[in-house]
Amino acid sequence: MITKITKDISKVVEQLKAGNIAAVPTETVYGLASSALNDKAVRKIYKAKSRPTFNPLIVHVAKIEDINNFAKHIPETGKLLLEKFSPGPITLVLKKKNIIPDIVTAGKDTVAIRVPDHDMMRELISLCGFPICAPSANISGRISPTSAMEVKKELEGKIEYILDGGKCKYGLESTVVTFKRNVPVILRHGAITQEQIELLCGKVITNTGSEIHSPGMLKDHYAPKTTMLIFDGDFTELKKSNKKFAVLKKHTNQSIEKFAVGLFSTLRKLDEGKFDFILTSFVEDKGIGRAVNERLIKAAKGFLSFENGKIKIVKK
Ligand code: TXA
Ligand code: MG
């Protein structure tokens, strides 16, 4: 099968209604979609991505009100977050209604749900008439795609269609939030920042990396094939080595927002460059910088250091 890039929504509606999968655009990253109500179709997503079935999927709906069809209850702070940031890159983890099959939530009694801020995607959901579950459209553990062409490189031959909705506005996945009573718990940093959530809801708990709350938050993720290392040292010694390395760093005069948008696509390009290493360093850990740092540490194999002039890799 040759994977086709199309702007024709009806082709993708037809595929999803027939219980098949297709790649779809959102404002964050491209997703690999199926009907969230069709068990068999959802299984095709896990298979195409080689995704472990313990890692639940995000359900996308067209309107905020639709969340009530699939979640039992929204805490007050959750309602505030929806009012302020939805449609947009925020995902709420809520107690699920029975209509959502277990395969979508990996057997959990909660469902992750969001309203994407992408006209084409919302139109697709409305035309289908069912919610659409979609993890990022990459092979499990690899870099999330932010354009139709990147999806094609990632999933060629595995899907019939990629719906082309242009380049993703944020280039980073949504912020995933669950709740401890009424207090938001950030499970994954994303385009909506911790500071924005704190300002709106007061106290916030950060729980990033906990595999108990969010099974998908594994230590290794977003990884290029080239060994990526965190390095903040002096490049002169490194240049003396016979290693070929690329540098992925925010320029001092570049905004963090701009760096974040291009992060995954730059990483993908560098990965095609036949380097021995991709070297990167953390950005300031605030705002969207937290989401960037979270991706960098997961994508990296470890830290680069020198010992007696020799390259040493320290595990993360
Ligand atoms: O921006 C996004 O969120 C993109 C676009 C396509 O919507 N989707 C995305 O999906 O990033 P995925 O599958 O790559 O990441 C979903 C994350 C995973 O870390 C998963 O473990 C977590 O959300 N998640 C999903 N359902 C959950 C649940 N019921 N409880 C806790 N975490 C959940
Ligand atoms: Mg993903």
Side-chain angles (χ1 to χ4, degrees), residues 106 142 198:
R142 299 221 52 245
E198 273 164 354

Side-chain angles (χ1 to χ4, degrees), residues 28 51 55-56 58 60 110 112 114 135-136 173-174 188 213-214 216:
T28 57
R51 182 177 176 110
N55 192 1
I58 294 178
H60 301 73
T110 53
R114 80 180 194 94
S136 49
E173 299 87 347
S174 63
R188 178 176 72 184
H213 280 96
S214 200

Side-chain angles (χ1 to χ4, degrees), residues 64-96:
I64 297 176
E65 308 86 87
D66 296 344
I67 294 176
N68 297 309
N69 299 335
F70 309 106
K72 281 186 182 160
H73 168 74
I74 307 174
E76 285 312 309
T77 48
K79 287 180 190 156
L80 287 177
L81 289 170
L82 290 174
E83 216 172 277
K84 179 99 182 162
F85 302 120
S86 234
I90 189 143
T91 298
L92 303 189
V93 174
L94 303 165
K95 283 267 178 281
K96 84 173 185 85

Side-chain angles (χ1 to χ4, degrees), residues 70-276:
F70 309 106
K72 281 186 182 160
H73 168 74
I74 307 174
E76 285 312 309
T77 48
K79 287 180 190 156
L80 287 177
L81 289 170
L82 290 174
E83 216 172 277
K84 179 99 182 162
F85 302 120
S86 234
I90 189 143
T91 298
L92 303 189
V93 174
L94 303 165
K95 283 267 178 281
K96 84 173 185 85
K97 284 192 173 166
N98 284 340
I99 182 170
I100 298 288
D102 284 343
I103 181 76
V104 172
T105 64
K108 288 167 79 75
D109 64 354
T110 53
V111 60
I113 197 157
R114 80 180 194 94
V115 188
D117 184 18
H118 193 292
D119 291 345
M120 208 182 210
M121 175 64 172
R122 283 205 312 273
E123 193 184 341
L124 174 73
I125 303 168
S126 299
L127 289 171
C128 283
F130 45 69
I132 287 180
C133 59
S136 49
N138 50 281
I139 300 294
S140 188
R142 299 221 52 245
I143 309 164
S144 306
T146 58
S147 71
M149 207 50 220
E150 287 178 5
V151 179
K152 187 163 162 74
K153 282 187 187 163
E154 187 79 12
L155 297 176
E156 180 64 63
K158 295 194 162 143
I159 47 176
E160 192 85 40
Y161 287 109
I162 300 165
L163 184 60
D164 187 358
K167 261 199 138 341
C168 301
K169 182 171 156 198
Y170 294 99
L172 284 183
E173 299 87 347
S174 63
T175 308
V176 179
V177 178
T178 185
F179 300 89
K180 238 182 188 162
R181 294 202 183 83
N182 200 27
V183 181
V185 181
I186 299 178
L187 298 177
R188 178 176 72 184
H189 286 292
I192 301 296
T193 66
Q194 183 179 328
E195 288 84 349
Q196 285 175 298
I197 299 174
E198 273 164 354
L199 198 64
L200 191 71
C201 305
K203 197 176 157 210
V204 166
I205 301 169
T206 54
N207 194 38
T208 49
S210 165
E211 288 169 28
I212 300 162
H213 280 96
S214 200
M217 295 304 288
L218 305 173
K219 208 169 108 212
D220 299 300
H221 210 100
Y222 315 110
K225 287 174 186 146
T226 316
T227 304
M228 180 152 134
L229 298 167
I230 313 279
F231 181 65
D232 249 333
D234 186 353
F235 278 86
T236 40
E237 278 224 56
L238 198 60
K239 280 179 186 154
K240 285 185 212 155
S241 77
N242 58 354
K243 297 292 180 200
K244 216 178 139 211
F245 59 88
V247 180
L248 172 65
K249 247 186 163 174
K250 186 181 95 58
H251 301 298
T252 30
N253 54 359
Q254 190 182 24
S255 75
I256 183 63
E257 285 77 18
K258 193 121 196 256
F259 180 68
V261 171
L263 179 69
F264 284 152
S265 55
T266 310
L267 194 51
R268 218 170 247 280
K269 278 186 209 120
L270 294 179
D271 205 17
E272 288 168 3
K274 307 234 179 333
F275 293 100
D276 294 311

